[in-house]
Amino acid sequence: MFKTKIILFLFISMFSTSIYAQQLGKDELKSMEKSNSAFKGGIKGVTGPGLNLPAEKMQWWEDAKFGMFIHWGLYAILATGEWTMFNQKIPAEEYAKLADQFHPKLFNADQWAAIAKTAGMKYMVMVARHHDGFAMWNSPSSYHHFNSMETAAHADFVAQYTAACRKAGLKVGIYYSPMDWRFPGYFDPKGQPENAALMKQQAYGQVEELMKNYGKVDILWYDGGWLSHKGTDADAAWFWEPLKLNTMVRQYQPDIVINPRSGMFGDFQVNEGSAEVKGPILNFPWEKCLNLNGASWGYNKAQHLMSRSSIIQMLVNVVDRGGNMLLNVGPDQDGIIPASHVLRLKEVGEWLNKNGKSIYGTRPGPFEPVDSLYGSTHKGNMIYIHLIKSSKVSLELDLPPISQQILSCRILADKKVKFQQGKNGVKLTIDTARLDPAVTTIALRIKE
Ligand code: GLC
């Protein structure tokens, strides 16, 4: 039993909820929910011998904790999110004309990487192709030559991006959507099997290009293995044959970390959206993906920017339960990440500069999290408590007992905290004048 007592307590909830989800298109929302229901209701997906990574090959990923997701494509021109083509029923031929206007002269992948590093992120995942079908690289397999090399941009953005990540020391992730709205067979795979087969052929060809032509890729982040916007990704495994697809992937990239959205059981599981993370530590690798601008993943003129506190609280809520956080930005049509987003990320980076010891390379526990109040991580002879709520005056925090002896206790890189350890638990008395409005880390040194 975890007994938690707060003596004087002033707290304004800063958690972002899924209010913006209500503004999403019906199928867009379904896309989010199908993955989350799989996450909550038991992990789904087909698997084959040797296709998933052994635990030791997942360690770097579990150490990394924080990454940048980037949704960037033709939809940035429309500035209403990456589902605009579908939501506004824009015919494929009409939508394709956007490629004539897409020549982002200001795009600079090194700048993206620099922004991610300043935010304290350790990896990036760039959307190479979303459901609209436009490939952001030199893609000979692209149906109707719908790619950035053979249209106005005349550029291979994936090449520039992968090079920039490596130069900056960031791990390289690629997002790829097998589904493609341009194919009527996607919506009717049984009625129009030949057209659906063309889409599948494109997916195999493009995944091979991405795995073969860009050096070592660390993460493959599929999205939309489902069919006709129905069921789950795993339900569509009969069509995509993800075991075959990923056997090919592993031939080029034996150590790549693969998410679950091809229908194959993932090396990690995905929890999507801005809802508060609650509950106990999860004993499998998982990742929370969400949007810095709650309006949509792709660039959106509407702005619902997460606050500094909500980002940091989300991060510790995730890390304290054994997850990673993949925070999305949507650059505009020129490839620029909006200045206000860059500033917000910098604030998170400043917090991580001070508190990063309690995040990177840690594992969750030993204390189970108490929702909206605290959670913990540990590494070596240190235990870190992330105190989420803050009080203006003073705070007593009761933690459950632990067998190791606590030698010292302090606010990370700051002053000492009074503690009493007994067989019934540990009591910390914290001077709340020093607390960070988002999350304060308390470091306990234990006897080894
Ligand atoms: C959802 C959205 C999609 C986005 C993805 C990121 O599936 O529908 O647009 O790319 O989430 O996780």
Side-chain angles (χ1 to χ4, degrees):
M1 275 293 290
F2 309 136
K3 211 181 89 210
T4 309
K5 192 176 73 186
I6 295 206
I7 291 185
L8 215 89
F9 169 79
L10 229 167
F11 174 67
I12 302 166
S13 169
M14 289 183 184
F15 288 111
S16 59
T17 60
S18 37
I19 39 172
Y20 303 119
Q22 293 154 15
Q23 294 164 7
L24 301 179
K26 194 165 85 4
D27 285 21
E28 197 174 348
L29 193 56
K30 246 171 45 187
S31 162
M32 170 175 148
E33 284 168 353
K34 59 139 166 88
S35 309
N36 284 348
S37 63
F39 181 80
K40 286 181 204 134
I43 299 162
K44 296 195 179 75
V46 292
T47 192
L51 277 178
N52 284 110
L53 292 180
E56 68 270 17
K57 296 213 164 163
M58 287 297 292
Q59 296 307 310
W60 75 263
W61 187 90
E62 292 193 52
D63 288 346
K65 308 297 185 197
F66 192 26
M68 178 183 271
F69 210 176
I70 303 182
H71 276 65
W72 188 52
L74 295 185
Y75 40 83
I77 300 174
L78 302 172
T80 45
E82 76 294 346
W83 270 68
T84 303
M85 176 184 175
F86 180 83
N87 289 346
Q88 294 185 5
K89 302 190 175 57
I90 305 175
E93 317 77 66
E94 202 50 45
Y95 188 87
K97 292 182 188 151
L98 289 174
D100 304 334
Q101 300 169 41
F102 191 61
H103 32 75
K105 294 276 175 291
L106 302 175
F107 168 73
N108 180 341
D110 291 324
Q111 227 157 49
W112 285 3
I115 293 166
K117 285 204 85 162
T118 308
M121 290 154 164
K122 303 291 184 194
Y123 61 102
M124 294 174 88
V125 178
M126 175 193 169
V127 172
R129 177 166 94 51
H130 206 264
H131 314 331
D132 64 357
F134 188 71
M136 300 289 278
W137 74 98
N138 180 12
S139 175
S141 308
S142 168
Y143 186 65
H144 287 169
H145 308 280
F146 199 39
N147 65 80
S148 60
M149 190 53 112
E150 294 176 272
T151 51
H154 297 299
D156 187 326
F157 297 114
V158 170
Q160 296 177 44
Y161 155 79
T162 50
C165 286
R166 289 189 198 107
K167 200 158 94 190
L170 294 162
K171 295 281 190 182
V172 184
I174 291 182
Y175 164 116
Y176 178 79
S177 159
M179 68 184 265
D180 185 333
W181 291 319
R182 295 179 301 152
F183 292 83
Y186 167 73
F187 295 97
D188 184 17
K190 294 212 164 121
Q192 302 190 51
E194 281 161 25
N195 184 264
L198 285 177
M199 173 177 69
K200 182 174 172 184
Q201 192 187 334
Q202 173 184 258
Y204 274 69
Q206 291 194 317
V207 170
E208 182 166 25
E209 289 165 15
L210 292 167
M211 296 298 102
K212 191 176 167 182
N213 300 335
Y214 298 95
K216 183 167 191 291
V217 181
D218 303 294
I219 301 163
L220 177 54
W221 217 103
Y222 289 110
D223 185 29
W226 62 338
L227 276 175
S228 352
H229 293 186
K230 291 198 185 85
T232 66
D233 299 312
D235 292 337
W238 67 270
F239 176 77
W240 296 109
E241 299 183 272
L243 299 186
K244 190 168 143 196
L245 182 63
N246 290 310
T247 300
M248 182 263 285
V249 166
R250 289 254 178 259
Q251 272 156 18
Y252 293 110
Q253 305 282 349
D255 295 343
I256 196 166
V257 175
I258 303 178
N259 86 339
R261 291 191 181 171
S262 65
M264 184 181 91
F265 186 85
D267 291 320
F268 63 94
Q269 304 305 315
V270 176
N271 173 331
E272 177 178 322
S274 57
E276 185 183 343
V277 173
K278 294 183 176 173
I281 296 169
L282 300 175
N283 61 0
F284 52 84
W286 65 280
E287 180 179 65
K288 174 81 173 174
C289 61
L290 78 166
N291 247 317
L292 182 58
N293 175 15
S296 63
W297 301 84
Y299 180 73
N300 203 312
K301 50 188 184 252
Q303 294 291 315
H304 303 294
L305 200 57
M306 286 180 82
S307 67
R308 171 189 182 272
S309 284
S310 57
I311 300 168
I312 295 169
Q313 290 171 351
M314 181 68 83
L315 179 66
V316 303
N317 276 328
V318 167
V319 170
D320 294 349
R321 290 166 178 79
N324 280 9
M325 184 163 102
L326 186 64
L327 184 61
N328 179 72
V329 295
D332 68 12
Q333 60 174 305
D334 289 321
I336 302 294
I337 301 172
S340 56
H341 300 199
V342 175
L343 280 177
R344 187 50 43 84
L345 291 173
K346 203 168 149 232
E347 290 171 356
V348 177
E350 280 157 9
W351 185 88
L352 277 163
N353 268 340
K354 287 200 199 122
N355 296 272
K357 271 193 194 142
S358 70
I359 301 287
Y360 307 118
T362 63
R363 292 295 176 267
F367 302 112
E368 278 287 349
V370 175
D371 291 345
S372 319
L373 181 56
Y374 73 83
S376 66
T377 59
H378 66 277
K379 189 179 180 182
N381 63 340
M382 300 301 294
I383 295 173
Y384 301 102
I385 312 286
H386 292 128
L387 183 64
I388 293 163
K389 291 182 177 180
S390 70
S391 145
K392 290 274 183 288
V393 187
S394 78
L395 182 72
E396 277 189 10
L397 189 67
D398 287 333
L399 304 167
I402 45 169
S403 54
Q404 305 100 316
Q405 189 198 340
I406 299 171
L407 300 176
S408 72
C409 177
R410 53 172 65 236
I411 291 177
L412 199 60
D414 203 329
K415 70 176 191 183
K416 284 193 175 152
V417 168
K418 220 175 98 197
F419 71 96
Q420 286 164 274
Q421 181 172 24
K423 65 177 187 321
N424 295 326
V426 183
K427 185 189 287 295
L428 310 181
T429 307
I430 303 157
D431 171 2
T432 53
R434 323 282 307 190
L435 298 192
D436 185 290
V439 173
T440 299
T441 306
I442 299 160
L444 310 180
R445 184 175 299 280
I446 52 174
K447 195 169 174 191
E448 280 178 297

